[in-house]
């Protein structure tokens, strides 16, 4: 690969780098020089600080940006609760009603929702923790059949949202600029950043992981060295872009904009008479970004045995315990397998981590595809210590394969949200979606053959 050949051409400009300190202005001279909050910022703008970490967080962890905008974010009427929000206590996506079960789960491809936009098409499938304590994660699928209204915006106060586009492109307008996110691209929208999702290529479907604690980082490379896996230069952040729609004061204006916030897994709304997309310039290291999965520099064994799947980690959200992640985002892209005398697919496994997998395109080499199998737009969950591994047919095929160098996964990409947390499943995920494959376990492993043969007694 090294770069994905996308059907939809790029339409925006970006700044390249991960965790970098950027500055960008849509109007020359909009950024103040030498200070962040002058008495009178250039061009009559307001200075607003957006903090993604505590003020006193260590410098290498500190995330914050300064925005220079036409009107400050605080200029809006009070928010009110949305009575029919998808996370209310009487709804099947209610995170307070998670069911924790040890069974292996797999879902057929989730339905498209032609009448939904991105926000109304978000469905919480599984999760753990509590956003009020800034601990845990939420695992979603989304399905949208229409763009969000041009006079609307959404943000989450609960956490950073990692989006995995599976079908259909997302053209995302954020306060800090635009991101075009196509299948085989991901993006991360930080906690608090307002955005609006358009569908330039028609209906869209995909997956999302909301991180209630901390932020995503690149995994340490250790003895791998200074390059490989996801390289920092391949991440892309937006450049400043703004609209002008306002009145003489913040309470006046020719139009009305609906702002929706996800706050403790509930939705609230307000309406304001000025656009939220009025950031003329910004600088800092707290911003949305995207990444082309085709640029991931895969590594693997060139001698024997199958290494741990952690070698496929793109992004990691660390816990307080070194080497243990609240969430890892892992991919299984096209790659060459050359290990000698080795069972090449992933081995059978019981894991202290939970593994939620999805398929962006193609087939996964350790599971059968097609109807009733692991299909693009579907998912699986193998919870803490739930056994999993290749299905019976995949095992027999790999056990008897001619071990020549082989390119696997061409035209395919699977991914995994791996977490140290025990994952609960919503009522929607278990029942209402009607996508759970009831025969998954038996069809996958019920036919696993016994190859054991007791050795003959040694001859004297």
């Amino acid at each position: 690969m090294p770069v994905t050949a996308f059907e939809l051409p790029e339409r925006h400009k970006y700044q390249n780098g991960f965790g970098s300190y950027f500055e960008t202005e849509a109007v020359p001279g909009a950024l103040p020089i030498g200070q962040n909050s002058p008495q009178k910022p250039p061009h009559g703008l307001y200075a607003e600080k957006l903090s993604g970490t505590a003020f006193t967080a260590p410098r290498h962890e500190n995330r914050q940006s300064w925005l220079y905008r036409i009107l400050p974010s605080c200029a809006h009427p009070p928010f009110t609760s949305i009575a029919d929000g998808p996370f209310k206590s009487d709804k099947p996506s209610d995170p307070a009603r998670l069911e924790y079960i040890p069974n292996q789960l797999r879902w057929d491809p989730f339905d498209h929702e032609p009448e939904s936009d991105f926000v109304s098409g978000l469905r919480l499938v599984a999760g753990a923790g509590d956003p009020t304590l800034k601990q845990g994660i939420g695992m979603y699928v989304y399905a949208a059949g229409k763009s969000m209204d041009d006079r609307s915006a959404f943000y989450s106060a609960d956490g950073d949202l990692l989006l995995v586009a599976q079908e259909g492109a997302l053209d995302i307008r954020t306060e800090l600029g635009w991101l075009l996110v196509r299948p085989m691209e991901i993006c991360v929208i930080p906690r608090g950043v307002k955005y609006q999702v358009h569908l330039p290529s028609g209906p869209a479907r995909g997956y999302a992981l909301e991180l209630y604690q901390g932020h995503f980082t690149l995994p340490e490379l250790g003895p791998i060295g200074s390059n490989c896996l996801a390289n920092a230069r391949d991440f892309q952040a937006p450049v400043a872009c703004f609209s002008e729609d306002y009145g003489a004061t913040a309470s006046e204006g020719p139009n009305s904009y609906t702002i929706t916030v996800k706050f403790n897994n509930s939705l609230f709304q307000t309406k304001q008479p000025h656009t939220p997309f009025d950031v003329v310039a910004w600088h800092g290291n707290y911003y949305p970004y995207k990444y082309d999965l085709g640029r991931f520099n895969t590594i693997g064994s060139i001698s024997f045995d199958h290494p741990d799947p952690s070698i496929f980690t793109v992004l990691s959200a660390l816990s307080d315990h070194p080497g243990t992640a609240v969430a890892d985002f892992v991919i299984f892209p096209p790659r060459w397998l050359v290990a000698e005398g080795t069972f090449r697919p992933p081995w059978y496994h019981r894991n202290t981590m939970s593994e939620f997998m999805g398929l962006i395109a193609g087939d996964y080499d350790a599971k059968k595809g097609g109807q009733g199998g692991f299909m693009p737009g579907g998912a699986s969950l193998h919870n803490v210590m739930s056994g999993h591994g290749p299905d019976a047919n995949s095992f027999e095929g790999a056990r008897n394969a001619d071990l020549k160098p082989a390119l696997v996964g061409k035209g395919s990409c699977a991914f995994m949200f791996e977490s140290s947390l025990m994952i609960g499943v919503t009522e929607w995920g278990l029942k209402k979606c009607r996508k759970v494959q009831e025969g998954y376990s038996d069809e996958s492993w019920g036919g696993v053959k016994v190859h054991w043969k007791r050795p003959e007694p040694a001859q004297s």
Side-chain angles (χ1 to χ4, degrees):
M1 285 190 177
V3 178
T4 301
F6 296 105
E7 292 183 7
L8 184 66
E10 184 57 76
R11 54 178 61 180
H12 306 304
K13 293 182 178 179
Y14 302 101
Q15 308 172 91
N16 289 356
F18 185 88
S20 303
Y21 201 103
F22 289 133
E23 62 175 44
T24 172
E25 55 186 13
V27 173
L31 282 171
I33 303 300
Q35 66 179 124
N36 297 317
S37 185
Q39 183 180 21
K40 293 183 178 181
H43 307 319
L45 297 171
Y46 285 87
E48 179 180 278
K49 187 172 184 176
L50 179 63
S51 294
T53 53
F55 296 144
T56 53
R59 185 179 283 258
H60 70 280
E61 296 178 358
N62 209 294
R63 295 289 179 266
Q64 49 111 26
S65 287
W66 282 91
L67 317 182
Y68 300 91
R69 59 193 317 153
I70 295 170
L71 286 167
S73 296
C74 55
H76 62 76
F79 283 94
T80 56
S81 176
I82 301 176
D84 62 348
F87 309 113
K88 301 294 282 186
S89 60
D90 61 340
K91 297 297 192 298
S93 290
D94 173 23
R97 296 164 62 186
L98 295 175
E99 187 169 342
Y100 292 83
I101 57 176
N103 296 334
Q104 304 97 333
L105 294 171
R106 187 161 71 190
W107 290 266
D108 285 329
F110 295 97
D111 288 337
H112 285 282
E113 298 191 20
E115 301 304 314
S116 296
D117 64 14
F118 175 81
V119 177
S120 61
L122 270 176
R123 297 287 179 265
L124 182 66
V125 179
D130 185 343
T132 67
L133 301 176
K134 295 189 176 178
Q135 295 175 350
I137 55 174
M139 297 171 174
Y140 298 81
V141 294
Y142 69 83
K146 61 183 181 181
S147 298
M148 290 175 62
D149 190 277
D150 285 340
R151 293 175 184 159
S152 69
F154 174 75
Y155 75 93
S156 176
D158 291 344
D160 293 4
L161 192 68
L162 186 157
L163 293 173
V164 183
Q166 185 270 319
E167 193 169 272
L170 307 177
D171 201 12
I172 304 176
R173 183 175 200 184
T174 79
E175 292 179 271
L176 284 73
W178 289 83
L179 295 170
L180 179 63
V181 183
R182 299 155 290 188
M184 285 298 294
E185 286 183 307
I186 62 167
C187 78
V188 173
I189 302 177
R191 183 196 306 264
V193 172
K194 298 184 182 77
Y195 62 98
Q196 182 186 92
V197 179
H198 300 267
L199 309 181
S201 59
R205 181 177 62 187
Y207 311 86
L209 176 69
E210 189 167 33
L211 179 65
Y212 302 153
Q213 62 189 95
H215 302 287
F216 289 102
T217 63
L218 294 179
E220 297 294 340
L221 295 179
I224 293 173
S226 55
N227 298 106
C228 274
L229 309 186
N231 290 309
R233 65 174 296 221
D234 293 322
F235 289 81
Q236 297 180 300
V239 296
C241 178
F242 72 101
S243 293
E244 295 177 278
D245 192 355
Y246 50 85
T249 69
S251 60
E252 304 171 76
N255 295 303
S256 178
Y257 289 81
T258 301
I259 313 299
T260 303
V261 54
K262 180 175 175 287
F263 195 90
N264 186 23
N265 278 324
S266 295
L267 297 184
F268 296 80
Q269 276 186 353
T270 188
K271 295 183 183 293
Q272 63 185 48
H274 55 93
T275 177
F277 302 109
D278 64 351
V279 177
V280 181
W282 61 269
H283 68 84
N285 61 3
Y286 190 61
Y287 45 75
Y289 55 87
K290 74 167 188 171
Y291 176 72
D292 171 8
L293 299 178
R295 302 188 185 199
F296 187 79
N297 190 185
T298 312
I299 65 172
S301 174
I302 55 173
S303 56
F304 61 89
D305 279 356
H306 187 297
D308 291 342
S310 48
I311 62 170
F312 301 125
T313 302
V314 180
L315 293 170
S316 187
L318 304 178
S319 72
D320 294 335
H321 188 75
T324 302
V326 175
D328 282 330
F329 174 64
V330 180
I331 65 171
F332 304 94
R335 59 204 182 278
W336 283 92
L337 300 182
V338 299
E340 295 181 316
T342 293
F343 181 78
R344 289 179 174 178
W347 12 254
Y348 292 102
H349 192 203
R350 288 182 297 162
N351 194 354
T352 187
M353 310 283 276
S354 299
E355 303 178 13
F356 179 94
M357 287 192 66
L359 187 59
I360 299 170
D363 295 312
Y364 179 53
D365 59 306
K367 293 289 188 337
K368 74 166 187 174
Q371 189 64 36
F374 189 38
M375 300 173 64
S380 68
L381 174 63
H382 301 138
N383 226 320
V384 172
M385 290 302 171
S386 295
H388 56 279
D391 57 43
N393 290 337
S394 298
F395 174 83
E396 292 299 327
R399 184 175 186 269
N400 297 299
D402 184 7
L403 293 183
K404 296 178 180 179
L407 177 63
V408 299
K410 187 173 183 180
S412 172
C413 188
F415 75 87
M416 179 167 64
F417 298 149
E418 186 177 50
S419 175
S420 58
L421 306 176
M422 186 174 287
I423 301 300
V425 186
T426 62
E427 181 187 357
W428 187 88
L430 279 177
K431 299 174 184 177
K432 295 291 185 180
C433 70
R434 298 182 179 179
K435 297 298 178 183
V436 173
Q437 297 177 2
E438 299 298 341
Y440 170 47
S441 179
D442 185 61
E443 291 170 8
S444 295
W445 304 295
V448 172
K449 298 177 181 179
V450 176
H451 293 283
W452 159 253
K453 292 182 181 179
R454 181 182 289 275
E456 294 294 330
Q459 299 297 316
S460 57

